[in-house]
């Protein structure tokens, strides 16, 4: 809980699947990874905008020019994870983004390893290192460094499928009423969604003050056959993409999207 990076809810690797969850994100665990499939689980709507209403200003434009995208990564002794994360980001079908990285390890050797991995990856990035100010505050700092219209939080242990960000940004472009989206987050490192278990279908409200990862521990095959997006309460913080205008409308403190009093955990809720 002191890491300032986002631990997952389990000890297996996670993948994000090709199903879009419109609303939320996901988190990493020490030694393990998340796999994200591009299936869309959609959710939170912008005030006064219908879910299926496209943005007329984007007609005729390519996806890369329709909506700018920035990826944000907060690390804490996370260099081993980057061996899988960075190639997965480099292989994304949607390009034109920049990866903004902030390290909280406080170790010169770790900083050197991160910078070397980033340079060798070919991924466009901006890097900074500083004191461990927590997951929420770290992402707030990165958020202030760009003006991208779509903002993605990336867990160090995430392994997104090649079309992950293309599918999520496409969902935001075609559904002006959606404020945030995530993919189907799966446990395990097999790369076979048909045998994987779900880590998160997004945030699920079960009662007053009780918000958990929906679908956690259930077979992914139950959802992979669905062709439509799912509406969810909110996106998990491990692999979400937020519409910037929605964050600006909802931001709680100091002009930033996350409440800095939540050092780690539950800031996504």
């Amino acid at each position: 809980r002191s890491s300032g990076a986002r631990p997952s809810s389990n000890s297996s690797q996670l993948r994000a699947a090709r199903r879009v969850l419109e609303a939320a994100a996901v988190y990493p665990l020490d030694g393990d990874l998340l796999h994200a499939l591009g299936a869309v689980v959609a959710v939170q709507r912008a005030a006064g905008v219908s879910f299926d209403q496209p943005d007329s200003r984007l007609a005729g434009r390519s996806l890369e020019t329709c909506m700018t995208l920035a990826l944000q990564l907060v690390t804490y002794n996370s260099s081993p994870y980057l061996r899988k994360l960075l190639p997965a980001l480099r292989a994304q079908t949607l390009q034109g983004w920049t990866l903004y990285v902030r390290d909280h390890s406080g170790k010169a050797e770790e900083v050197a390893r991160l910078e070397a991995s980033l340079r060798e990856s070919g991924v466009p990035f901006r890097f900074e290192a500083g004191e461990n100010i927590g997951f929420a505050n770290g992402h707030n700092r990165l958020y202030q460094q760009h003006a991208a219209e779509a903002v993605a939080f990336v867990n160090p242990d995430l392994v997104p499928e090649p079309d992950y960000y293309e599918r999520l940004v496409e969902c935001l472009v075609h559904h002006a009423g959606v404020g945030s989206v995530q993919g189907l987050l799966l446990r395990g490192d097999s790369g076979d969604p048909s045998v994987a278990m779900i880590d998160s279908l997004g945030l699920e409200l079960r009662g007053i003050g009780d918000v958990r990862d929906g679908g956690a521990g259930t077979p992914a095959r139950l959802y992979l056959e669905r062709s439509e997006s799912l509406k969810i309460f909110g996106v998990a913080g491990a692999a979400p993409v937020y519409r910037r205008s929605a964050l600006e409308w909802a931001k709680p403190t100091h002009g930033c999207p996350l409440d800095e009093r939540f050092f780690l955990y539950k800031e996504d809720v």
Side-chain angles (χ1 to χ4, degrees), residues 106 140 186 250:
N140 283 347
L186 306 180

Side-chain angles (χ1 to χ4, degrees), residues 44-187:
Q44 310 186 330
R45 306 185 180 187
V49 183
S50 69
F51 175 78
D52 291 317
Q53 176 182 343
D55 190 334
S56 60
R57 298 171 301 173
L58 305 179
R61 295 167 58 182
S62 66
L63 192 59
E64 287 84 353
T65 61
C66 277
M67 181 172 287
T68 54
L69 172 67
L71 276 55
Q72 298 185 184
L73 171 65
V74 176
T75 61
Y76 183 86
N77 296 326
S78 304
S79 56
Y81 294 118
L82 270 58
R83 288 194 291 268
K84 290 192 174 182
L85 170 62
L86 292 177
L89 294 181
R90 189 72 182 88
Q92 290 298 301
T93 54
L94 178 65
Q95 293 292 321
W97 43 262
T98 297
L99 175 65
Y100 293 81
V101 184
R102 179 181 173 88
D103 181 60
H104 286 167
S105 69
K107 302 175 182 178
E109 60 274 19
E110 175 69 2
V111 170
R113 284 192 291 267
L114 290 170
E115 289 187 302
S117 296
L118 288 164
R119 285 194 299 270
E120 293 168 4
S121 71
V123 168
F125 72 95
R126 293 186 182 180
F127 178 81
E128 66 178 37
E131 64 175 314
N132 187 359
I133 55 178
F135 180 87
N137 205 357
H139 274 290
N140 283 347
R141 294 285 182 90
L142 295 175
Y143 179 81
Q144 293 173 316
Q145 296 180 20
H146 61 81
E149 298 162 289
V151 183
F153 291 179
V154 182
N155 257 27
D157 61 349
L158 185 69
V159 183
E161 292 291 298
D163 62 350
Y164 186 70
Y165 290 108
E166 179 180 1
R167 295 289 298 275
L168 298 187
V169 171
E170 184 177 43
C171 179
L172 292 179
V173 168
H174 291 130
H175 303 286
V178 174
S180 55
V181 296
Q182 72 168 72
L184 179 62
L185 299 172
L186 306 180
R187 301 173 182 175

Side-chain angles (χ1 to χ4, degrees), residues 209-260:
D210 184 7
V211 181
R212 307 181 188 184
D213 285 304
T218 60
R221 57 181 170 76
L222 299 178
Y223 297 89
L224 290 173
E225 297 176 357
R226 296 174 61 109
S227 59
E228 73 278 7
S229 300
L230 304 176
K231 311 291 192 303
I232 58 179
F233 167 75
V235 290
V241 177
Y242 296 98
R243 189 187 300 274
R244 191 184 194 94
S245 59
L247 291 177
E248 292 292 311
W249 178 81
K251 60 190 179 187
T253 58
H254 312 301
C256 294
L258 300 181
D259 192 327
E260 297 174 2

